[in-house]
Amino acid sequence: MDGTETNSLLCDDYTTANEIFTKRNVCNESNNNKTGVAVRLHMRKIALVTVSLPLGAFIFCIYFSVRYNFDVSTATHCGVTNYLPSISSAIGEFVPQRYIWRTAVALHSAPRFLAAYLYVAFMNRILPKHPVYQVLQKIYTCLNLVEVSSLLGLSFVSSRENYELHKLFFIMFMVCSELYMLLTCLLLKDNTRQFVSLLEHRAFSIKKQLMFANIFCFMVALYFYHRHNTYCEPGMYTAFAFLEYLIVLTNMGFHMAAYYDFYHYQLTVAEYKMPHPNT
C-alpha cells in the first residue's frame, strides 16, 4: 500500500570516484520517490549562519558593555584599573546583552548538534576501522556534544545568578573545547590521505592553526588571571579579558571549518513517496 511520510535527508554532492555509481543510483531512486521538496539548504550556508549568530552577539555584548556599562562591567574585586569586561560579565550581567546572547546561542545550538552528527559520519569515512580509533571517535563525539551543552549552560546561568553552577559550566566548556580541538587534529593528522577534496585539506589546515592559537591564548590567559588574583596589578585583568576574546574567536573559527568539510552537503526536507513493496 502506498503512503507518504516526511523525511529529512542529508545529501553529499561530492563523492569519491568509487562511490559515484552507487551514489547516483541512490540519489536517482530518492529523487523518483520525492513528490515535493519543501526546503533545501546548503550546509555551507548553515555553517555561516551558525557561526555568525554567536559572533554577532559576542561583538554586540562587548560593545554595549563598554559603551553603556563600562564602570560596572570592568570592576574587579581588588579595585585596580581595568579597561575591558570579562566575557561572563558582558554576556550575563546586563540587559539587553544577556537576552541577545542567550537567543543567539540557543538558535545556533541546533545546527551545532547537527554538525556533531555529521562529523560522526565524516570520521567514520576518514579513520581506520581499528578498536582504538573507534574508542577515540566516541570520546571525540562526546566532547563535541558536552562542549555545546555546557555553552548553553553557562549562557543561561549567569555568574550573578548562580556563580558555582556558571563556573562549572565554564570549566566544562573550556576543558571539552580544548580537548576536542586537540583530539580532532591528532585523529586527522595521520589520516589526511583519506581526504577526498582540497576543501577538506583546507579545513584541516585551518583547524591546526586555530587549535595552536587557541591553546596558546588559553595558557597565557591563565598566567594573567593568576597574576591578577595574586598581585592585583593594574592591566592584568584587561590582558586576561582580551585573551578571553581571542579564545572565543579562535574557537568559533575552528568550528567554522565545517564550512569546508561539508561544502557540498545539502539539508533537504521533502515529502517522500514510499516505494510499492511489490516493485
Side-chain angles (χ1 to χ4, degrees):
M1 181 172 67
D2 291 337
T4 60
E5 64 179 4
T6 301
N7 287 291
S8 177
L9 306 174
L10 286 170
C11 295
D12 178 7
D13 296 330
Y14 188 93
T15 53
T16 61
N18 293 331
E19 296 173 331
I20 288 176
F21 181 75
T22 302
K23 187 73 172 184
R24 183 178 298 161
N25 288 340
V26 171
C27 289
N28 286 340
E29 180 181 351
S30 176
N31 289 334
N32 289 335
N33 292 325
K34 281 187 288 186
T35 60
V37 175
V39 178
R40 178 179 288 122
L41 299 173
H42 291 282
M43 287 303 299
R44 59 180 180 271
K45 294 181 180 178
I46 295 177
L48 280 174
V49 173
T50 301
V51 173
S52 297
L53 283 168
L55 176 60
F58 172 75
I59 294 173
F60 174 86
C61 290
I62 298 298
Y63 170 77
F64 252 61
S65 296
V66 172
R67 180 69 176 83
Y68 298 106
N69 308 104
F70 181 80
D71 291 337
V72 179
S73 66
T74 59
T76 61
H77 71 281
C78 53
V80 296
T81 303
N82 178 36
Y83 301 102
L84 292 174
S86 68
I87 292 178
S88 294
S89 175
I91 69 174
E93 294 189 6
F94 311 106
V95 175
Q97 295 96 303
R98 180 193 310 157
Y99 300 130
I100 290 175
W101 175 257
R102 289 178 179 179
T103 300
V105 169
L107 290 174
H108 109 296
S109 62
R112 285 288 304 275
F113 285 120
L114 174 62
Y117 166 78
L118 290 177
Y119 271 117
V120 172
F122 179 85
M123 286 298 189
N124 280 334
R125 173 169 61 82
I126 299 295
L127 300 180
K129 309 304 179 185
H130 188 278
V132 173
Y133 277 106
Q134 292 175 352
V135 172
L136 290 175
Q137 183 179 337
K138 292 179 180 178
I139 296 173
Y140 162 88
T141 302
C142 289
L143 289 172
N144 195 358
L145 294 174
V146 174
E147 178 189 345
V148 180
S149 300
S150 56
L151 176 59
L152 283 167
L154 70 88
S155 298
F156 280 86
V157 180
S158 70
S159 57
R160 177 167 296 182
E161 293 168 339
N162 190 325
Y163 176 77
E164 291 301 324
L165 189 57
H166 179 85
K167 179 181 177 181
L168 175 63
F169 282 130
F170 178 79
I171 293 173
M172 289 173 57
F173 172 77
M174 288 305 306
V175 171
C176 291
S177 171
E178 300 297 324
L179 291 178
Y180 173 76
M181 287 189 284
L182 181 61
L183 186 57
T184 297
C185 293
L186 289 177
L187 289 175
L188 296 179
K189 178 174 66 71
D190 296 325
N191 296 286
T192 56
R193 62 187 179 279
Q194 300 299 326
F195 292 163
V196 296
S197 72
L198 292 177
L199 292 174
E200 291 180 356
H201 284 280
R202 182 182 301 175
F204 179 54
S205 177
I206 292 172
K207 289 176 183 178
K208 285 192 299 182
Q209 295 172 25
L210 292 176
M211 182 268 292
F212 283 119
N214 186 279
I215 293 177
F216 174 78
C217 290
F218 178 66
M219 299 305 294
V220 178
L222 289 178
Y223 167 76
F224 283 116
Y225 186 74
H226 170 73
R227 287 285 297 267
H228 168 71
N229 283 332
T230 304
Y231 305 108
C232 278
E233 299 170 294
M236 289 296 104
Y237 201 76
T238 301
F240 165 75
F242 179 72
L243 287 163
E244 263 195 320
Y245 303 166
L246 294 182
I247 291 170
V248 168
L249 293 174
T250 52
N251 177 272
M252 291 181 184
F254 186 94
H255 290 292
M256 182 60 204
Y259 176 89
Y260 296 110
D261 283 330
F262 307 122
Y263 188 88
H264 297 286
Y265 282 56
Q266 289 184 348
L267 174 65
T268 303
V269 179
E271 186 180 12
Y272 190 82
K273 184 177 180 181
M274 296 296 293
H276 196 281
N278 297 325
T279 58

